[in-house]
C-alpha cells in the first residue's frame, strides 16, 4: 500500500514554532492524514498500568488506509497482564515481544504529522502521552492533536450506544470478530471514513474536527530517531491468536 509521507524531524531537534493561533489560522489541512490507534492495556490508569498491544493504521486525508501494523508489547517481568477476559492475552503471549522502548521511535514517527484517531481517544491518547512522554519521545505536557470517533458518533448517526461494535454495526462498518488492537484500529478507521462520507453528503465543510487537523500541522512535540524507527519495524510481534469473542449487547 502507498505510504503517506510527511517531513520528519530528527530526535531532539528544537524548533521555534509560530504562535499557535497564527499557525492554526494559516494551516492548510487538505493534506493532513490520520494515525488511527488502538491499545490493549493491563488496566485503566495510564500512570499505573502498561500497554501490552498496539494497533496502528495510517490513513490519508480521505480516510483511505495506507499502511497498518500491530505488535504485542512486553511490559516487563512480573507485570500482571490484567483482564484477560477483555483483551484475550496471557503472560505467555508476551514472551519474546518487544518492550515499548523497543518500538517507541517507530510509534512516534508514525504518529507524527497526523491527527491521532481513536474510539475513546481520551483513553488511548492518555496512555500514549504517559508512555511516550516517559521515554522522551513526546514533549512533556504536550496535547496531542486528536479525533475521537466515540465523541463524534451521534453527530453523524443515530445509535443506541457509542460502543465501538454498536457504532460499526449502525454505520455498516466491518469489524473484526475478535477483540484485538489492530481489528479495533481498522474499525475506527472505518468509522472515520463513514463520518467523512456523511459530512460530504450534508455539505459540512470544513470537517467537524478541522481544528484537530490544523493542530496536527503546527504540532512539533514528537521526537524520534529515523534510523531507529526503521530498525524497529523488524521487531514487531503481531498477536498470534484470535482474541476474545465480542460482546454484542
Amino acid at each position: 500500500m502507498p505510504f503517506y509521507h510527511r517531513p520528519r524531524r530528527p530526535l531532539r531537534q528544537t524548533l521555534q514554532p509560530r504562535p499557535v493561533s497564527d499557525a492554526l489560522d494559516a494551516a492548510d489541512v487538505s493534506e493532513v492524514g490520520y494515525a488511527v490507534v488502538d491499545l490493549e492495556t493491563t488496566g485503566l490508569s495510564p500512570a499505573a498500568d502498561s500497554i501490552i498491544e498496539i494497533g496502528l493504521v495510517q490513513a490519508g486525508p480521505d480516510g483511505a488506509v495506507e499502511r497498518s501494523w500491530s505488535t504485542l508489547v512486553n511490559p516487563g517481568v512480573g507485570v500482571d497482564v490484567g483482564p484477560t477476559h477483555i483483551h484475550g492475552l496471557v503472560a505467555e503471549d508476551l514472551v519474546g515481544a518487544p518492550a515499548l522502548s523497543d518500538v517507541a521511535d517507530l510509534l512516534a514517527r508514525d504518529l507524527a504529522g497526523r491527527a491521532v484517531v481513536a474510539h475513546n481517544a481520551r483513553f488511548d491518547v492518555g496512555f500514549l502521552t504517559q508512555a511516550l512522554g516517559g521515554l522522551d519521545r513526546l514533549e512533556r505536557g504536550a496535547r496531542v492533536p486528536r479525533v475521537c470517533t466515540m465523541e463524534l458518533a451521534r453527530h453523524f448517526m443515530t445509535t443506541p450506544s457509542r460502543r465501538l461494535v454498536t457504532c460499526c454495526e449502525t454505520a455498516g462498518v466491518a469489524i473484526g470478530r475478535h477483540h484485538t488492537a489492530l481489528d479495533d484500529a481498522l474499525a475506527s478507521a472505518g468509522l472515520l471514513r463513514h463520518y467523512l462520507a456523511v459530512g460530504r453528503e450534508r455539505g459540512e465543510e470544513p470537517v467537524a474536527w478541522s481544528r484537530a487537523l490544523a493542530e496536527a500541522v503546527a504540532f512539533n512535540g514528537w521526537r524520534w530517531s529515523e534510523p531507529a524507527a526503521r530498525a524497529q519495524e523488524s521487531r514487531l510481534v503481531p498477536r498470534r491468536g484470535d482474541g476474545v469473542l465480542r460482546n454484542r449487547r
Side-chain angles (χ1 to χ4, degrees):
M1 289 181 283
F3 190 100
Y4 181 68
H5 289 285
R6 292 194 63 80
R8 304 300 187 187
R9 300 186 181 98
L11 187 65
R12 298 182 184 278
Q13 181 175 355
T14 301
L15 301 178
Q16 296 297 322
R18 292 178 293 172
V20 172
S21 59
D22 294 346
L24 296 185
D25 289 343
D28 177 9
V29 302
S30 63
E31 295 186 0
V32 180
Y34 302 92
V36 190
V37 66
D38 185 82
L39 306 174
E40 299 300 330
T41 66
T42 62
L44 301 178
S45 170
D49 295 307
S50 302
I51 297 168
I52 56 174
E53 187 179 23
I54 302 166
L56 190 143
V57 176
Q58 291 185 320
D62 60 353
V65 174
E66 298 171 335
R67 179 172 178 260
S68 66
W69 58 263
S70 68
T71 189
L72 297 172
V73 178
N74 192 328
V77 177
V79 176
D80 190 336
V81 298
T84 295
H85 68 283
I86 294 176
H87 51 59
L89 295 168
V90 297
E92 289 77 8
D93 294 325
L94 306 181
V95 174
L100 186 63
S101 59
D102 293 329
V103 294
D105 290 279
L106 172 62
L107 182 55
R109 185 197 71 182
D110 287 357
L111 294 170
R114 299 169 181 265
V116 178
V117 181
H119 200 77
N120 191 3
R122 181 178 180 181
F123 176 87
D124 294 283
V125 174
F127 267 89
L128 290 173
T129 299
Q130 178 75 20
L132 293 180
L135 293 170
D136 198 28
R137 299 304 186 269
L138 177 63
E139 181 181 333
R140 290 284 191 174
R143 186 187 184 281
V144 175
R146 69 195 68 180
V147 178
C148 183
T149 53
M150 184 181 76
E151 291 178 359
L152 290 166
R154 290 195 172 112
H155 178 75
F156 291 100
M157 59 189 175
T158 300
T159 175
S161 167
R162 297 191 303 171
R163 293 176 62 247
L164 178 61
V165 65
T166 307
C167 288
C168 287
E169 289 173 344
T170 301
V173 171
I175 186 167
R177 183 168 171 265
H178 301 290
H179 192 54
T180 69
L182 186 56
D183 276 354
D184 285 358
L186 288 166
S188 297
L191 282 180
L192 180 71
R193 290 192 298 276
H194 177 73
Y195 297 169
L196 287 165
V198 171
R200 284 194 299 270
E201 290 174 1
R202 293 175 177 172
E204 292 183 359
E205 294 290 344
V207 294
W209 54 87
S210 59
R211 184 171 181 83
L213 299 178
E215 289 172 348
V217 174
F219 187 74
N220 65 349
W222 300 111
R223 299 167 178 167
W224 72 95
S225 160
E226 181 61 31
R230 290 196 299 268
Q232 288 170 10
E233 292 176 354
S234 65
R235 298 178 185 171
L236 303 179
V237 178
R239 184 191 292 241
R240 292 177 288 274
D242 288 330
V244 174
L245 287 173
R246 293 184 182 276
N247 182 347
R248 295 183 178 269
R249 290 183 297 175

